[in-house]
Amino acid sequence: MFHSVNVFTGETLYRRPAQDYAEFERQLADLKMRGRAFAQLGVTERAARLRRFAGRLEAEKERFAEMVCEEVGRCLHECRAEIGKSIELIRYYARLAPELLAHKTIATQASLSQVRFEPLGVVFAVMPWNYPVWQVLRFAVPAVCAGNACAVKPAPSVARVSQALFDLVSDGIPLAGAWLDEADTFKAIKDTDAMAFTGSTHTGRILAAHAGANLKKTVLELGGSNAFIVMPDADLERAAAEARYSRFRDAGQSCNAAKRIIVTEAAADRFIPLFLAECAKLKMGDPKHPDTTLAPLHREDLRNRVHGQVEDAVSNGAVCLAGGKVPQGPGWFYPATVLDRVNPACRVWHEEVFGPAALILRAANEEHAIALANDSPFGLGACIYTADTERAWRFAEKIQAGSVFINRHTSSDLRLPFGGVKDSGYGRELSEFGLYEFVNVKTYWQK
């Protein structure tokens, strides 16, 4: 059952059953025909239709932001930012796709040899709940630009906004919902041509194994436990403010957030009070209220998991400096929580914390800070705060992650590839590299 509720009030917003697989097969056959027709339009016309889609989404920006706010629970201003970035994404690819997908003539002994970028067919995607518009479009827009069709299985708890997004697409763009239960998801992977997945590492392993058994191309954007490294010479006030923003925005429910704050001992006693003062500024409340800066978590089980991780850490020697208590009242709120003295005996040392709890790891020196950053199964992103940027670049080369930011918290930029290594997955989204993930890079040779 796909079932959306207002996270703050508990009101049911939308319900629909999973579709029968025979119905999906009929839908898939239609989507394949639409995809072939769309691909034959050529990249210039495909881009023009996507620009019109961006215009329709822009006209509905406030309605979509409110739907995301109600169904996900994030602060309304954060949801507006998601829709705005999604519109920018569509226009970015519509502008660049004709150039990036142009045939490339290569000089060889042939009279003519080329590389062309041709679509794979139908890309099946399993998407998460935390950014229900951005995550779908982040994979789908470049895939569609390249001439693919996209069938998207949305997270069950954001069904209303997902359906609204599919309804808004129109204009012959082959992007449609796949309202499947878990068992039929495996059939869909087999019956389509490639797979994109954003979600937990556990689920990613299961889906990737099935896709691999059927030799389907996959891109996986999985969990993260990003290191936020504070060197002794850093601007500590700025670092504290950005650590608070990165860790607690979207109620801490972002794979790319700063989760492990690694502070050298030489800076710890100065940095930690500044960070705690920043955390104290956060205010829980109605996510639609402009004064709210810490929204509720998306579901009760997610709050229970975060609280269980916090209790486990404390029982294994970590010190809770702030938060750590489940509040009373409506909404699945959890306070801004800061755990100091986190050690390898704590579950959070190895697990992702998907909620508003920050971990402080103390490093003996700068080299130890880099070692701690790498002592994680995840490798999505990291950041380094220091006055010595030349040295920071040398440290950045040692970090096992898909991106490293210097004197800025981790984020995604349309112009740069996004993705990770290790348990954070493989493949890239965004930039030209994301555009090439779901194409057949095809060689042509003429004597």
Side-chain angles (χ1 to χ4, degrees):
M1 176 63 69
F2 292 82
H3 181 202
S4 299
V5 302
N6 185 311
V7 171
F8 184 64
T9 68
E11 171 194 3
T12 292
L13 300 172
Y14 184 91
R15 291 176 68 90
R16 67 179 296 161
Q19 64 186 141
D20 179 77
Y21 197 75
E23 178 189 351
F24 174 74
E25 287 180 311
R26 292 190 292 272
Q27 176 185 323
L28 182 60
D30 176 70
L31 189 61
K32 288 179 178 179
M33 287 191 295
R34 289 168 52 202
R36 287 191 290 269
F38 192 72
Q40 290 171 2
L41 293 174
V43 65
T44 301
E45 176 59 25
R46 296 198 297 267
R49 296 192 183 195
L50 284 167
R51 281 194 292 271
R52 293 197 290 270
F53 171 46
R56 293 193 296 275
L57 184 56
E58 187 169 46
E60 298 280 0
K61 180 177 179 179
E62 189 63 19
R63 180 171 74 94
F64 272 82
E66 291 203 4
M67 282 194 288
V68 174
C69 177
E70 291 171 355
E71 289 180 82
V72 176
R74 292 179 12 240
C75 293
L76 183 57
H77 68 88
E78 296 169 336
C79 301
R80 289 182 178 126
E82 176 186 348
I83 307 306
K85 191 172 182 178
S86 299
I87 295 164
E88 186 182 356
L89 168 83
I90 301 168
R91 289 173 172 158
Y92 168 83
Y93 276 112
R95 182 173 66 253
L96 291 184
E99 174 188 349
L100 296 176
L101 294 172
H103 305 333
K104 297 188 185 302
T105 299
I106 310 295
T108 69
Q109 70 269 33
S111 63
L112 176 63
S113 48
Q114 283 187 337
V115 174
R116 299 186 181 185
F117 306 100
E118 299 181 358
L120 296 179
V122 178
V123 182
F124 178 66
V126 180
M127 292 286 103
W129 51 263
N130 55 338
Y131 301 102
V133 175
W134 166 251
Q135 300 278 20
V136 169
L137 296 182
R138 190 174 71 184
F139 106 85
V141 169
V144 167
C145 272
N148 295 289
C150 297
V152 181
K153 180 184 183 299
S157 56
V158 290
R160 183 185 61 161
V161 69
S162 299
Q163 182 62 66
L165 181 64
F166 301 144
D167 289 342
L168 192 68
V169 173
S170 69
D171 208 11
I173 298 172
L175 169 60
W179 304 95
L180 299 171
D181 62 22
E182 291 185 9
D184 286 341
T185 296
F186 296 105
K187 297 180 185 177
I189 293 172
K190 181 180 179 181
D191 291 342
T192 52
D193 302 294
M195 183 192 75
F197 172 72
T198 298
S200 73
T201 300
H202 172 74
T203 303
R205 283 194 175 100
I206 295 170
L207 296 180
H210 190 75
N214 289 279
L215 295 179
K216 307 296 182 178
K217 170 66 186 293
T218 56
V219 170
L220 305 181
E221 200 274 281
L222 308 178
S225 190
N226 289 6
F228 187 105
I229 303 168
V230 184
M231 297 301 193
D233 61 350
D235 180 339
L236 298 183
E237 290 187 356
R238 179 185 173 195
E242 295 204 7
R244 185 265 303 162
Y245 172 78
S246 181
R247 171 66 284 205
F248 298 110
R249 65 185 173 91
D250 304 322
Q253 299 172 122
S254 169
C255 61
N256 203 31
K259 297 187 174 81
R260 296 177 298 136
I261 301 173
I262 301 172
V263 189
T264 53
E265 286 288 4
D269 290 342
R270 292 176 291 145
F271 172 82
I272 292 173
L274 293 170
F275 181 56
L276 291 172
E278 286 290 334
C279 295
K281 298 176 184 178
L282 294 167
K283 181 180 179 181
M284 295 186 291
D286 183 345
K288 287 189 175 182
H289 196 285
D291 292 339
T292 298
T293 51
L294 186 60
L297 274 73
H298 182 57
R299 298 193 310 264
E300 184 178 18
D301 64 300
L302 300 174
R303 180 175 69 175
N304 292 342
R305 176 174 172 79
V306 172
H307 187 55
Q309 289 173 310
V310 169
E311 289 188 315
D312 170 82
V314 172
S315 70
N316 282 288
V319 179
C320 188
L321 302 180
K325 303 292 184 184
V326 177
Q328 300 298 312
W332 296 302
F333 288 95
Y334 199 74
T337 298
V338 179
L339 296 173
D340 191 13
R341 308 287 181 181
V342 174
N343 60 77
C346 306
R347 284 170 45 200
V348 296
W349 188 277
H350 309 285
E351 296 178 358
E352 179 178 22
V353 182
F354 212 66
L359 319 177
I360 296 179
L361 283 61
R362 295 179 182 239
N365 51 46
E366 295 177 349
E367 290 289 347
H368 186 213
I370 302 305
L372 289 175
N374 289 332
D375 189 12
S376 170
F378 299 102
L380 186 56
C383 58
I384 304 172
Y385 282 74
T386 178
D388 189 344
T389 54
E390 183 177 343
R391 195 175 187 201
W393 279 83
R394 294 197 297 272
F395 282 133
E397 291 177 348
K398 300 177 182 179
I399 293 177
Q400 301 161 359
S403 65
V404 181
F405 284 62
I406 298 172
N407 291 327
R408 191 186 187 281
H409 59 84
T410 49
S411 62
S412 61
D413 187 306
L414 305 176
R415 299 159 293 187
L416 296 171
F418 179 76
V421 296
K422 302 197 290 187
D423 283 5
S424 291
Y426 52 76
R428 293 296 180 262
E429 296 178 313
L430 303 180
S431 79
E432 62 187 277
F433 300 97
L435 184 63
Y436 295 140
E437 284 287 1
F438 292 116
V439 296
N440 175 14
V441 184
K442 188 173 176 181
T443 295
Y444 286 80
W445 198 97
Q446 175 182 306
K447 184 174 176 67

